[in-house]
Structure formats: structure tokens, C-alpha cells
Amino acid sequence: MSKSKRLVLILGDQLDLQSAALRDFHRDTDEVIMIESANEAQYVWSHKAKIALFLSAMRHFAQDLIELKYPLTYIKESTKPIVDVLRDELQRRNIKHLICVEPGEYRLKIAIEKLAQDCQIVEMREDNHFYCSHEEFRQWVANKKELRLEYFYRLMRKNHQILIDAQGNPEGGQWNFDQDNRKPYSKKGPGIIDEPMGFPLDAITQEVINYVEKTYSDHPGSLENFHWPVNRKQALKALDYFIEYRLRNFGIYQDAMWTQTPFGWHSLLSSALNLKLLNPREVVQAVLAAWKKYSLDLATVEGFIRQILGWREFVRGMYYLDMPQMAQDNYYSHTNSLPAWYWSGQTQMACMKDTIGQTLKYGYAHHIQRLMVTGNFALLAEVLPAAVSDWYLAIYVDAIEWVELPNTVGMALFANGGRFTSKPYIASGAYIKRMSNYCKDCQYKPDIRFGEEACPVTTLYWNFLIKHRDQFESSPRTRLMTANLKRISDEDQKEITRHAKHLLANLDAL
Ligand code: FAD
Ligand code: SF4
């Protein structure tokens, strides 16, 4: 064993005692370093709750390390970028070996790789948090004509023997029960939903919140409703609570939306997972155990596991495969600015107002709100993908680029031209009307295509189809989408185009 000092860097989203970085840690010779950097809070205009969550979780993790007698240097509130602080520390202390786990943001990965090149003492280890390694993902990609979640997910199910019966077939005879997981709430509303577990603020979180309120007072979002799990103990409690009280209805109402219902039956576990306070394996195992214990629907269990074992692993693989190109992708050459009301929620459109309103309040919206409300609108409004990505990265407490960017660029915006989706996820106001009660009190009418009362989502939807008709008709997967255009007269199509042009030139006024 070398007696020279090794420094182990733990980043803000690597808060796991089982991290590969700590694998062979020696308390007598090694030391952990953690760095709070203002740069991380500011390179996009982050929601206050996102900044507070990262800082509080880091400080709690530092406390755990100290209790476990890990030697630790914790650099608070630095105004320099992480890598600059690191470079100074390495020089000042004459460190001969720096160990870290690959960062979840390409930007930081490149910066640390550059540091490694310069000083030749950096050892970057692969992140063992995920089911699928980079190599395994690359092997899966090789020779594939189409990169689709469904086939990757089946491979993960087989490799990890999850929801596979004794004969080696998928449980219930189907790989995917997505069709059973798309119900709206009843016309009367969602009924009583058990609230997700919230956590009272302890001294560490309170101190962080005071600091964020003072230092980032001009940043978007509120801290008044900050109840996120900030350490492993709380994350495990949040998982247990979700499994016990909320999982049962997760599947069926996964896509449903309703006013005053910001969380539905969703798990709210993404931030704990992404900070690495929870491991995806323990989440999946807990769901499998609950399936038997509470005789849950297979559709719910499969639907939830697909998100973690399927989507979460898949988008991570795609991110590392396609960066840095993914951040530049702009298939439709869209150039509009993001409407200013994305940062304030001050819009007349009830669906956008509700989704953005709860986003500012909690730093949270569920998947369908992100994909089919804010994402759908940004695509139809022809907003520059990089501006949309910056918004998603800034505004959600769970946002880390490896998961945010592929969801935004690949799923919401089709900005990578269908690299891993078969068609753009676009919808008119009719979809939002079917899946929510948003349209009920909106000043617009979801079924009207043009004119003063027309729903902007609907106008822009038809405009999009008219504009890209040739592209949609060239593929059997999208041909159906333009079929309904044939039922709209040429005159009405001209009106839609005219009205859409007006909307697109005045997005801020909506
Ligand atoms: P649940 O609905 O309870 O799902 C359970 C878990 O499955 C989540 O906690 C999450 O870990 C995982 N999951 C579900 N859907 C996805 C998905 N599409 N991709 C990856 N993992 C998934 N998720 C993030 O974690 N961070 C992001 O920055 C992020 N940005 C997104 C941006 C857009 C435009 C879209 C459409 C989706 C984004 N997602 C992101 C995916 C998804 O919306 C969130 O994971 C989910 O809403 C988090 O809430 P939850 O924990 O209640 O999830
Ligand atoms: Fe949204 Fe259109 Fe419905 Fe209004 S009418 S809530 S803008 S979908």
C-alpha cells in the first residue's frame, strides 16, 4: 500500500458511501475532498430549491463522513469553478494521486480529464451506481439499426432477471404494460391521494436555505415548500413511504394531470436517486417485494420498474454516446427564444400556468407535465433546443445533465431527429383536455384551431403538422398523424398558418 496521500473527490451528485471512489479508501493515508462551487449554481439560472438541495445534501453527506471518521476537506461556498479549486489544492498540498468517479455532466468530465492530462495524477473511475456500464451500452448499440428503449429494457430485464418467470419469459407474458398506464383521473378529480413524505428542515438545511435566499435572491423559484430528502436516512424513508402508500396507484394514473395536484401518485424519488442517496437496485428490489406483499398490479410494478431499469439507464447510455453533439442538436433548426413566462408562470394558458407554477413552487413537475405540457409547447413554439435544455436543467431539483438533456433533446423536442424515438411527441389541446382538467377554466378552447379563442397548443400543433407534412408522410410511423389534416379544408389550413405566425411572433404575450 502506498503511503503517499491520495485525495478522493466526491462531487455533489455522488453522495454514496458505496461509491467506486471510496472503494479502497484508507483512513490513515487518504483524504476526501468536497467542494461547493458557486459556478455549479450559476452556469444555468438555477431554481433556489435545486441549489439548496445540492448544498444541503452535500453538507449532510460531509457530516456522515466525519461521523464515520473519514478525513475530509470540505470547501464551503467557493466562488471558483470546482476544477480550479482542485488544481490549487493539488499544488498546495503536493498531492500525488487524485481519485474520482466520472462526473454526470460532460462539461465537468472534460474539465477533469483536462486536469488529468495536465498533471497525470488523476484516476477517474466508472460510476458503479448504474445497472448498465458504458461498455455494456456500447456493445448493445453496436450493429443496431434503431436505438429503442424497448429492446434495451428487455435486455436489462433478462440480464438482471427482473420480472422474468421461471421459464425465462416476461412476467404476465408481456414485456410492457404501457397501454394500461395512461388513464386520466375520473371526471370528478383524483380523489384522495396520500401526500408524498416531506421532511422538516434541520439546522443544516435551514442554514443552507438562509444562505441561498441571501446569495441567490434573484434566482427563480421558491424555498417555502422545501421538504426534499437531503440524506440517505430520509431517502430510505421516502422510498418506504412511497412503496407503502403511493405505489399502488402509480401505474394507472402515471400520465394524469389535475390542478392542485402537483405530485399525483408519483414517487418523487428522482432527486434522491440522482444525488446517489438511493441506489436504483434497492428501489427496484423494494418494488418487487411490494408486488408480492401487497398483491399489486403487475402493470404498476412493471411500469415503475421500466422507468428506473429502462428509461433511466437508457438515457444515460445515450447521453455518453452522443455528447457533445447532443447539446447542439437542432433537427428542425428552431431559433425562437424561450418565452419569458417559462421563468414566471405568468401566462394565460391554464396548462402552462399550472405546470410552471408548481415547478417554481417545488422544483418539481411529473413526467407528462414535462413532456406533454412544457416540452410539447416548446417544440411547437419552435424554441431553440439549447434554450429549452437550459431551462429544464435550471428549474428541476432532480436535473443533472446526463438525464435532463436526452429527455429534453431526444424525447421532448425531437431535436436529434429521432435518434432514439420513432416520432416527435407532439399533441394538440385535445390531449391535454383528455388527460387533465386544465382546459376547463382556461380562456382558450382546446378544440378551436384558429381565432381569438383558439387554444395556442392546438393552433401550433396543426401548424407544425402542416409545416412538416412531407416529413410526417414519408414514414409509416408518422403517416397517421397527418391523416386528420385531410379533414381540414385548405382555407382553414391557411387560417391556422396565419394565426400560428402571429402566435410565434408574440410568444411572450401568451
Ligand atoms: P416517477 O414518475 O415516480 O418515476 C420513477 C423514477 O423513474 C424517477 O424517479 C426517475 O428516476 C425514473 N424516470 C422516470 N422517467 C424517466 C425518464 N424519462 N428518464 C430517466 N429517468 C426516468 N428526470 C430526472 O431525473 N432529471 C431530469 O433532469 C429530468 N429532466 C426531464 C426533462 C424532460 C423534458 C422530460 C420529458 C423528462 C425529464 N426527466 C428527468 C424524467 C422524468 O420526468 C423525471 O425523472 C420524473 O418526473 C421525476 O419524478 P418522480 O421521481 O416522481 O418520477
Ligand atoms: Fe392548455 Fe389549450 Fe387547454 Fe388552455 S385550452 S389549458 S392552453 S390545452
Side-chain angles (χ1 to χ4, degrees):
M1 186 185 77
S2 157
K3 283 283 171 194
S4 67
K5 191 110 185 151
R6 301 191 308 173
L7 206 53
V8 175
L9 172 68
I10 302 281
L11 294 169
D13 62 344
Q14 299 176 341
L15 309 179
D16 176 11
L17 288 170
Q18 309 305 319
S19 163
L22 295 172
R23 192 170 54 212
D24 47 2
F25 191 86
H26 297 290
R27 283 176 177 73
D28 48 347
T29 53
D30 300 344
E31 186 177 328
V32 175
I33 182 163
M34 296 178 72
I35 304 162
E36 290 179 4
S37 160
N39 196 53
E40 296 302 304
Q42 286 169 329
Y43 80 101
V44 287
W45 197 39
S46 296
H47 193 301
K48 288 181 198 147
K50 180 180 171 187
I51 306 173
L53 176 57
F54 269 74
L55 292 183
S56 175
M58 283 177 77
R59 291 182 191 186
H60 279 90
F61 189 73
Q63 194 184 42
D64 290 349
L65 288 175
I66 291 164
E67 275 167 21
L68 292 165
K69 309 249 178 306
Y70 280 81
L72 168 72
T73 296
Y74 190 93
I75 299 180
K76 254 186 174 177
E77 299 166 20
S78 169
T79 51
K80 290 183 179 174
I82 289 177
V83 172
D84 292 0
V85 179
L86 211 49
R87 203 182 283 273
D88 292 350
E89 286 294 312
L90 295 177
Q91 273 165 10
R92 191 174 63 78
R93 301 206 254 158
N94 196 20
I95 299 288
K96 296 282 179 270
H97 197 156
L98 175 76
I99 298 171
C100 67
V101 160
E102 176 183 56
E105 303 240 1
Y106 186 80
R107 165 189 62 90
L108 205 48
K109 181 174 175 228
I110 295 297
I112 294 182
E113 278 172 358
K114 167 88 178 46
L115 176 71
Q117 243 173 27
D118 294 348
C119 62
Q120 301 285 319
I121 58 162
V122 182
E123 178 189 342
M124 193 185 287
R125 297 179 177 174
E126 185 155 358
D127 199 336
N128 60 6
H129 166 91
F130 295 92
Y131 278 98
C132 186
S133 68
H134 291 322
E135 184 48 33
E136 191 181 2
F137 195 79
R138 270 193 293 270
Q139 278 177 19
W140 175 76
V141 165
N143 310 320
K144 289 276 172 317
K145 278 205 197 108
E146 280 189 333
L147 303 178
R148 296 289 179 262
L149 174 274
E150 184 58 30
Y151 299 105
F152 170 78
Y153 170 54
R154 288 181 192 184
L155 179 77
M156 289 288 104
R157 291 263 299 270
K158 284 188 217 151
N159 284 356
H160 298 280
Q161 287 296 296
I162 292 170
L163 293 177
I164 299 290
D165 69 16
Q167 285 70 46
N169 298 316
E171 286 286 357
Q174 259 170 258
W175 289 102
N176 186 315
F177 291 83
D178 203 23
Q179 293 303 331
D180 299 346
N181 288 345
R182 293 180 178 170
K183 295 218 171 32
Y185 295 124
S186 119
K187 290 264 176 291
K188 291 188 203 141
I192 296 168
I193 301 180
D194 294 292
E195 283 293 303
M197 183 163 225
F199 298 91
L201 311 183
D202 64 6
I204 294 179
T205 306
Q206 193 55 64
E207 190 190 336
V208 163
I209 282 183
N210 296 344
Y211 165 72
V212 173
E213 285 288 21
K214 205 168 102 210
T215 315
Y216 300 102
S217 57
D218 62 334
H219 277 232
S222 161
L223 282 165
E224 273 167 34
N225 305 286
F226 187 98
H227 301 300
W228 295 101
V230 291
N231 58 27
R232 175 146 171 84
K233 250 191 215 152
Q234 292 183 348
L236 285 170
K237 273 191 190 162
L239 171 62
D240 285 352
Y241 184 90
F242 168 69
I243 299 274
E244 181 127 5
Y245 297 104
R246 293 166 54 81
L247 173 61
R248 66 199 146 100
N249 279 333
F250 168 84
I252 181 167
Y253 296 124
Q254 204 176 329
D255 290 4
M257 300 175 279
W258 203 266
T259 45
Q260 313 296 323
T261 312
F263 310 121
W265 293 91
H266 289 266
S267 71
L268 278 76
L269 293 176
S270 50
S271 56
L273 275 161
N274 296 349
L275 295 174
K276 318 282 163 59
L277 299 176
L278 285 178
N279 188 288
R281 294 170 192 82
E282 69 196 342
V283 177
V284 167
Q285 287 311 321
V287 171
L288 289 173
W291 174 37
K292 301 288 178 202
K293 185 171 166 196
Y294 302 118
S295 307
L296 298 175
D297 268 1
L298 179 57
T300 274
V301 170
E302 186 284 314
F304 189 82
I305 287 177
R306 182 167 6 105
Q307 309 311 319
I308 308 260
L309 182 68
W311 279 112
R312 190 166 184 269
E313 298 286 327
F314 180 71
V315 296
R316 174 173 183 262
M318 289 308 309
Y319 175 76
Y320 281 100
L321 199 66
D322 285 0
M323 280 300 278
Q325 178 56 42
M326 186 181 268
Q328 309 299 322
D329 281 338
N330 189 358
Y331 178 72
Y332 289 114
S333 306
H334 286 163
T335 54
N336 281 341
S337 305
L338 191 74
W341 45 259
Y342 265 74
W343 298 101
S344 69
Q346 296 305 312
T347 163
Q348 334 290 326
M349 288 187 279
C351 52
M352 300 294 284
K353 197 182 175 88
D354 187 82
T355 300
I356 296 172
Q358 71 164 72
T359 296
L360 293 169
K361 200 166 169 190
Y362 303 104
Y364 179 88
H366 70 65
H367 185 65
I368 289 301
Q369 292 174 304
R370 297 188 205 193
L371 184 67
M372 300 310 292
V373 180
T374 44
N376 180 48
F377 188 84
L379 170 57
L380 300 178
E382 305 179 0
V383 179
L384 179 74
V388 185
S389 299
D390 280 357
W391 183 78
Y392 279 103
L393 190 57
I395 213 76
Y396 289 106
V397 292
D398 57 24
I400 302 179
E401 201 181 69
W402 65 263
V403 53
E404 174 277 322
L405 194 65
N407 269 295
T408 307
V409 162
M411 292 189 73
L413 302 181
F414 202 76
N416 57 1
R419 171 103 161 114
F420 56 85
T421 49
S422 57
K423 55 182 189 211
Y425 285 95
I426 52 168
S428 71
Y431 171 84
I432 294 175
K433 182 181 167 196
R434 188 165 71 249
M435 296 309 298
S436 74
N437 67 339
Y438 291 150
C439 305
K440 203 169 134 271
D441 292 322
C442 184
Q443 74 174 55
Y444 302 111
K445 304 276 174 285
D447 314 319
I448 300 187
R449 298 188 186 113
F450 55 88
E452 220 167 83
E453 285 203 301
C455 161
V457 183
T458 299
T459 309
L460 294 176
Y461 169 81
W462 290 110
N463 177 63
F464 196 85
L465 286 182
I466 293 167
K467 227 181 212 177
H468 302 289
R469 186 195 307 243
D470 291 347
Q471 183 221 340
F472 279 89
E473 288 185 351
S474 67
S475 154
R477 288 173 194 257
T478 47
R479 203 166 292 146
L480 259 182
M481 293 172 78
T482 48
N484 286 334
L485 260 185
K486 297 193 180 95
R487 292 193 207 119
I488 302 177
S489 68
D490 288 351
E491 197 43 51
D492 280 5
Q493 290 195 27
K494 276 191 201 133
E495 287 298 334
I496 289 170
T497 308
R498 219 186 330 257
H499 187 54
K501 208 167 164 193
H502 169 73
L503 295 179
L504 291 172
N506 296 281
L507 288 171
D508 274 340
L510 282 170

